[in-house]
């Protein structure tokens, strides 16, 4: 369904999620007919169409920035900047990719830059060396899908309470649907390090939810 | 082929593998059911993370830990202050409108706990005197070290807080020496010519003799305590024999086997005694409130006399009323004079033995003392009991709503397994016992007094909210709140409280269930407190 939906707009970006097990569909891409028309018009220079796009995608962009930054003021700045950068970079947009993901990647860049500024450190993620690899022990079993409302709330709170180091990859991966390469580029770390961070972040979440239960 | 590493499995589940690694993993998955299940679970978890992240952000999103800390930092003192003000106001109002009703306001559980503690102390003292000393020593060491490590761990992160406390300690350090003389071993004797100008605390002495004067209080634990001279403050004693022939300027608080008062007490006398005697020379200028097996009053009591016990023998004068809820024999002899009323409960078939020369100016009311069994069931027959329970649980409910707004994290305590249940009970018991010991230990130093007072408020608050923690937990099991709103929490809390109230109303099961709930609640709260501090 995921691929079918995307193919209406463009070919699937990468042949991902292949294997014997059917992939989970991920809701979120809103490639309805209208945004596609606006996008086409915006790419040919229609400012008003870009405005429509901005209105359409603003909630998604804002939520991403909010998840990454926490504060309302910084979120608004970052969202504003995201649309400005996206508008400037529209010529370089590859129509073969999902526009939402492309836009969210830009927003992620903006938000991570804001995080770096907040830390007053150019290299947010290089400060602590991230050891690649993980223990052979699989640890606690993954969180089940049918969590109660209370546990979902606790999970969200736990994500929000994670240090930037773990929160950023989680949000970029599971909210913005970026792949490991894109995340690595935004965070300026290696792809293997992204894998390690996500692995550890998920292990931490399981552990923290386990102790809270 | 062995299973791929967990991280490879994650990469596969996320569609991030390529080339030979992808082929190898796929080949493995065809044969390994376990890995397939794990991959599915990982993908489900990924989808769950996506869904959760897409949910509406909270009104103020910053990390939950911050919210909790602020809630506790602001909420706890506010709640303590609010409870203190409410209690003070309620007390004043009740005392003014309904004298005596204050008894009912006493948190029932605290009363029960104090009585239990006394029983335990007396039983231990009879059967294993060494054990009491040992328990006391262990309690002091445990609580002081707990208090110390708590302080160190809290203050280490806030150096200025530590510095302020240190400054206070340095400023107040010479104070204990001037304000409280601590006497440890050997007999303690104040000679007739001697005048001690500070309060005295003595422990472990065989005999305490005050022939001279003490300008302050005397707090003493000893076999035998004799006051022939003068004490300007109050007397707090725990002993076998207490004898007062001199003068006590304040009140007398005594837990003793026998207490004999021949001199003057300028304030009230409170006693938990086997034999209580006021000789003909005794003058008490306040009330006498005592639970005593045998009480003999030959001297005078300026105000009310409240005595419960086996026998009361009155030959002296009482300035106001005589009350008793529970007495087997009351004898008013020649020379007895009561200015107010007599209001006593005696067992069936018994009457007041009254000599012709005994004078009572007011009314004499005698009621039949119900049997213990009847007495126990009696309160289930009176509407007061239900009204108070309703009031108690309604007040708890309202307090719970306020507390949830201020510090929602307090109610997130959960018990999932049997071993957790036992651990929570044990934590509750330890906290219930250790906190008062810690308070007493802290109060022995001047620096510790504010700490002890703060701890006392916290302790009362914890005792009061113990039912709330249990109710929130029960409510979470019975009617889990659908979201974080006050309404949903209120519904769930009400369900939990309803269960607790229903159990509390069952005769014979209610009281022990109440004790279990108290322990569980304290355990839950302690563990939440620890989690929040961490």
């Amino acid at each position: 369904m995921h691929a079918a939906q995307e193919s209406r707009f463009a070919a699937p970006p990468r042949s991902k999620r292949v294997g014997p097990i059917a992939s989970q569909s991920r809701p979120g891409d809103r490639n309805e007919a209208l945004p596609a028309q606006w996008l086409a018009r915006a790419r040919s220079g229609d400012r008003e169409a870009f405005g429509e796009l901005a209105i359409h995608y603003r909630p998604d962009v804002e939520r991403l920035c909010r998840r990454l930054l926490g504060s309302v003021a910084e979120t608004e700045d970052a969202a504003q900047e995201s649309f400005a950068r996206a508008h400037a970079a529209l010529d370089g947009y590859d129509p073969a990719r999902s526009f939402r993901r492309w836009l969210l990647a830009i927003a992620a860049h903006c938000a991570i830059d804001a995080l770096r500024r907040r830390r007053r450190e150019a290299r947010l993620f290089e400060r602590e060396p991230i050891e690649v690899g993980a223990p052979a022990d699989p640890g606690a079993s993954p969180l089940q899908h049918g969590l109660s409302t209370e546990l979902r709330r606790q999970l969200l709170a736990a994500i929000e309470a994670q240090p930037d180091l773990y929160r950023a990859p989680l949000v970029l991966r599971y909210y913005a649907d970026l792949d490991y390469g894109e995340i690595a580029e935004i965070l300026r770390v290696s792809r293997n390090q992204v894998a390690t961070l996500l692995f550890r972040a998920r292990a931490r979440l399981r552990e923290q939810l386990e102790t809270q239960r | 082929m062995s299973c791929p590493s967990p991280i490879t499995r994650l990469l596969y589940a996320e569609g991030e593998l390529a080339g030979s690694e992808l082929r190898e993993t796929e080949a493995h998955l065809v044969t390994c059911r376990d890995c397939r299940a794990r991959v599915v679970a990982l993908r489900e978890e990924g989808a769950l993370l996506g869904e959760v992240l897409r949910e509406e952000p909270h009104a103020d999103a910053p990390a939950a830990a911050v919210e909790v800390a602020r809630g506790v930092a602001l909420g706890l003192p506010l709640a303590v202050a609010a409870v203190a003000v409410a209690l003070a106001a309620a007390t004043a109002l009740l005392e003014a409108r309904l004298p005596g009703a204050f008894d009912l306001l006493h948190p029932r559980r605290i009363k029960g706990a104090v009585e239990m503690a006394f029983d335990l102390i007396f039983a231990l003292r009879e059967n294993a005197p060494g054990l009491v000393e040992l328990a006391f020593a262990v309690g002091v060491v445990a609580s002081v070290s707990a208090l110390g490590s708590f302080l160190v761990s809290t203050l280490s992160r806030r150096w200025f807080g530590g510095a302020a406390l240190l400054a206070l300690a340095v400023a107040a350090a010479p104070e204990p020496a001037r304000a409280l003389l601590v006497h440890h071993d050997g007999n303690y004797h104040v000679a007739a010519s001697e005048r001690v100008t500070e309060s005295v605390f003595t422990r472990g002495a065989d005999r305490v003799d005050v022939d001279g004067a003490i300008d302050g209080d005397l707090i003493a634990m000893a076999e035998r305590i004799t006051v022939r001279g003068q004490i300007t403050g109050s007397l707090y004693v725990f002993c076998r024999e207490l004898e007062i022939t001199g003068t006590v300027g304040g009140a007398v608080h005594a837990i003793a086997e026998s207490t004999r008062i021949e001199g003057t007490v300028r304030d009230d006398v409170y006693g938990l005694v086997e034999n209580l005697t006021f000789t003909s020379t005794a003058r008490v200028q306040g009330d006498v409130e005592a639970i005593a097996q045998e009480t003999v009053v030959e001297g005078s009591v300026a105000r009310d006399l409240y005595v419960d016990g086996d026998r009361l023998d009155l030959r002296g004068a009482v300035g106001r009323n005589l009350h008793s809820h529970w007495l087997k024999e009351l004898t008013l002899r020649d020379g007895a004079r009561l200015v107010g009323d007599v209001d006593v409960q005696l067992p069936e078939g018994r009457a007041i033995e009254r000599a012709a020369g005994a004078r009572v100016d007011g009314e004499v009311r005698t009621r039949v003392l119900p049997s213990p069994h009847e007495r126990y069931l009696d309160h289930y027959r009176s509407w007061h009991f239900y009204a108070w329970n309703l009031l108690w649980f309604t007040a708890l409910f309202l307090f719970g709503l306020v507390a949830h707004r201020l510090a929602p994290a307090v109610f997130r305590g959960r018990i999932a397994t049997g071993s957790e249940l036992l651990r929570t009970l044990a934590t509750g018991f330890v906290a219930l016992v250790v906190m008062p010991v810690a308070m007493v230990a802290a109060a022995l130093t001047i620096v510790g007094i504010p700490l002890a007072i703060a701890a006392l408020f916290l302790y009362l608050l914890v005792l009061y909210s113990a039912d709330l923690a249990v109710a929130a937990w029960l409510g979470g099991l019975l009617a889990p709140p659908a979201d974080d709103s006050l309404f949903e929490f209120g519904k769930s809390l009400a369900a939990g409280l309803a269960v607790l109230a229903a159990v509390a109303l069952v005769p014979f099961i209610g009281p022990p269930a109440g004790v279990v709930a108290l322990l569980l609640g304290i355990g839950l709260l302690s563990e939440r407190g620890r989690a929040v501090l961490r």
Side-chain angles (χ1 to χ4, degrees):
Chain A
M1 172 198 149
H2 185 76
Q5 220 178 30
E6 276 191 348
S7 66
R8 193 138 57 94
F9 175 72
R14 259 157 236 175
S15 59
K16 287 171 43 166
R17 294 179 193 93
V18 281
I21 302 142
S23 73
Q24 287 288 320
S25 72
R26 287 206 244 165
D29 279 19
R30 303 184 203 166
N31 294 324
E32 301 101 346
L34 219 47
Q37 291 170 13
W38 290 329
L39 181 61
R41 277 165 45 204
R43 291 185 65 217
S44 56
D46 185 340
R47 285 188 64 88
E48 218 167 281
F50 187 81
E52 293 282 2
L53 276 179
I55 293 169
H56 185 74
Y57 286 110
R58 180 169 278 278
D60 280 358
V61 168
E62 281 189 342
R63 200 167 296 176
L64 173 72
C65 297
R66 188 66 188 271
R67 295 276 184 244
L68 284 169
L69 291 165
S71 91
V72 179
E74 279 177 299
T75 295
E76 274 177 19
D77 285 351
Q80 209 60 48
E81 203 191 327
S82 306
F83 286 109
R85 280 201 212 173
H87 190 248
L90 206 54
D91 285 343
Y93 165 65
D94 171 10
R97 296 181 58 185
S98 149
F99 180 72
R100 179 178 180 271
R101 281 186 52 205
W102 178 78
L103 183 62
L104 287 183
I106 292 177
H109 268 289
C110 293
I112 295 290
D113 284 349
L115 265 188
R116 286 184 215 274
R117 276 198 300 277
R118 193 198 286 173
R119 286 284 196 94
R120 292 170 197 280
E121 286 162 23
R123 312 170 124 214
L124 178 61
F125 292 91
E126 283 96 308
R127 211 172 119 79
E128 311 154 57
I130 304 155
E131 242 175 80
V132 173
D137 170 29
S141 54
L143 296 165
Q144 289 303 302
H145 205 244
L147 282 183
S148 70
T149 321
E150 166 69 10
L151 278 168
R152 290 169 81 100
R153 202 190 50 67
Q154 283 180 11
L155 175 60
L156 182 55
I159 296 173
E160 283 172 350
Q162 293 300 317
D164 297 341
L165 184 70
Y166 294 118
R167 198 181 66 247
L170 281 172
V171 173
L172 296 182
R173 173 68 193 156
Y174 301 106
Y175 178 76
D177 287 335
L178 301 183
D179 62 42
Y180 285 25
E182 290 165 315
I183 299 171
E185 187 198 318
I186 293 172
L187 301 183
R188 295 183 213 159
V189 296
S190 74
R191 217 171 144 276
N192 283 345
Q193 283 172 326
V194 170
T196 308
L197 284 175
L198 279 171
F199 184 84
R200 288 202 205 140
R202 285 169 70 157
R204 278 167 67 101
L205 289 176
R206 283 172 213 144
E207 206 174 286
Q208 284 168 13
L209 250 69
E210 200 62 43
T211 52
Q212 277 192 22
R213 255 185 274 179
Chain B
M1 190 180 113
S2 65
C3 290
S5 74
I7 207 153
T8 310
R9 225 161 19 209
L10 175 69
L11 283 165
Y12 176 82
E14 302 250 83
E16 291 284 346
L17 278 188
S20 63
E21 263 191 307
L22 176 62
R23 282 193 296 276
E24 272 172 33
T25 312
E26 295 229 342
H28 173 76
L29 282 172
V30 174
T31 57
C32 180
R33 180 193 290 268
D34 189 43
C35 278
R36 277 207 303 273
R38 280 201 168 258
V39 165
V40 170
L42 280 170
R43 283 189 181 157
E44 278 198 8
E45 189 184 60
L48 170 73
L49 286 167
E51 272 172 38
V52 164
L53 280 166
R54 265 176 259 273
E55 274 162 24
E56 278 303 314
H58 295 310
D60 49 339
V66 177
E67 178 199 336
V68 167
R70 202 191 306 135
V72 170
L74 268 175
L76 220 52
L78 272 181
V80 168
V83 169
V85 168
L87 273 179
T91 312
L93 210 75
L94 266 170
E95 275 298 328
R97 289 287 160 93
L98 297 165
F102 183 55
D103 281 355
L104 293 167
L105 241 192
H106 270 288
R108 305 164 292 163
R109 308 283 161 68
I110 299 176
K111 238 168 129 184
V114 169
E115 279 162 18
M116 257 164 55
F118 273 129
D119 284 350
L120 189 70
I121 288 174
F122 275 112
L124 283 176
R125 209 186 58 166
E126 292 264 306
N127 304 320
L131 216 61
V132 180
E133 281 281 310
L134 185 72
F136 186 76
V138 170
V140 166
V141 170
S143 53
V144 167
S145 46
L147 204 68
S149 48
F150 167 74
L151 277 179
V152 169
S153 65
T154 352
L155 295 179
S156 60
R157 268 170 263 147
R158 299 178 185 82
W159 63 268
F160 56 92
L165 204 80
L166 196 71
L168 186 72
V170 169
E175 284 298 311
R178 255 191 296 130
L180 187 74
L181 183 82
V182 181
H183 183 82
H184 276 299
D185 26 39
N187 294 338
Y188 182 69
H189 184 219
V190 180
S193 54
E194 203 179 335
R195 190 169 193 99
V196 180
T197 55
E198 61 236 279
S199 290
V200 176
F201 172 78
T202 150
R203 183 180 83 73
D206 216 26
R207 291 183 61 112
V208 172
D209 293 279
V210 182
D211 290 328
I214 293 177
D215 278 342
D217 300 335
L218 172 65
I219 307 163
M221 281 184 240
E223 274 294 304
R224 200 182 144 83
I225 298 169
T226 316
V227 180
R228 293 184 204 93
Q230 196 193 7
I231 291 172
T232 59
S234 293
L235 198 61
Y236 303 85
V237 296
F238 187 77
C239 63
R240 204 174 285 280
E241 278 175 60
L242 169 68
E243 198 179 318
I244 300 172
T245 51
T247 309
V248 176
V252 173
H253 309 80
I255 298 178
E257 263 177 34
S258 91
T259 295
R260 186 177 169 86
I261 298 179
E262 296 177 21
T264 305
V265 178
R266 296 238 154 85
D267 205 337
D268 302 336
V269 174
Y270 302 94
L272 184 60
V273 195
E274 266 177 41
N275 295 299
L276 178 63
T277 310
F278 295 87
T279 66
S280 56
T281 52
R283 298 282 175 274
V284 177
Q285 291 170 5
D287 299 329
V288 171
E289 293 184 28
I291 299 179
Q293 236 168 47
E294 276 203 56
T295 309
V296 178
V297 181
E298 294 177 344
S300 70
V301 175
R303 299 202 304 202
D304 291 329
L305 180 62
Y306 297 88
V307 175
D308 285 343
D310 284 356
R311 274 181 293 279
L312 169 63
D313 199 316
L314 184 69
R315 298 161 210 211
V318 175
R320 295 209 298 220
N321 308 318
L322 164 63
H323 286 280
S324 176
H325 294 298
W326 165 50
L327 208 56
K328 286 187 187 154
E329 284 178 42
L330 170 61
T331 317
L332 301 179
R333 297 193 191 277
D334 282 331
R337 174 148 197 243
L338 272 142
V339 178
D341 304 333
V342 174
D343 188 353
V344 290
Q345 291 198 63
L346 293 169
E348 212 168 352
R350 293 282 176 87
I352 300 173
E353 282 180 46
R354 189 169 162 182
R359 246 182 77 187
V360 179
D361 294 352
E363 275 181 66
V364 178
R365 279 187 298 271
T366 317
R367 283 172 294 166
V368 177
L369 180 72
S371 74
H373 187 69
E374 268 180 317
R375 230 181 312 150
Y376 181 77
L377 287 175
D378 233 20
H379 64 272
Y380 288 97
R381 288 191 203 108
S382 96
W383 63 271
H384 284 107
F385 174 69
Y386 300 96
W388 276 107
N389 264 296
L390 186 68
L391 203 66
W392 170 270
F393 284 105
T394 311
L396 261 181
F397 178 67
L398 294 177
F399 177 64
L401 293 186
V402 175
H404 180 257
R405 271 215 88 68
L406 293 171
V410 170
F411 297 107
R412 294 204 188 119
R414 293 286 177 269
I415 302 166
T417 62
S419 66
E420 269 178 25
L421 186 76
L422 284 180
R423 201 185 58 205
T424 310
L425 275 174
T427 314
F429 181 73
V430 170
L432 182 74
V433 174
V434 164
M435 270 186 74
V437 180
M439 279 182 262
V440 171
L444 290 184
T445 63
I446 293 291
V447 184
I449 287 175
L451 260 182
I453 293 171
L456 177 70
F457 271 115
L458 186 67
Y459 187 62
L460 292 179
L461 189 68
V462 166
L463 286 183
Y464 187 70
S465 351
D467 275 356
L468 271 183
V470 178
W473 168 61
L474 281 177
L477 292 179
L478 297 169
D483 54 49
D484 215 10
S485 69
L486 194 64
F487 177 71
E488 283 290 322
F489 173 77
K491 268 201 319 200
S492 164
L493 182 68
L497 279 173
V499 172
L500 277 186
V503 174
L505 291 180
V506 180
F508 303 102
I509 292 173
V515 173
V516 172
L518 180 77
L519 292 180
L520 263 186
I522 296 176
L524 277 170
L525 287 173
S526 316
E527 282 175 4
R528 285 315 297 164
R530 222 172 43 196
V532 166
L533 280 178
R534 240 191 291 142

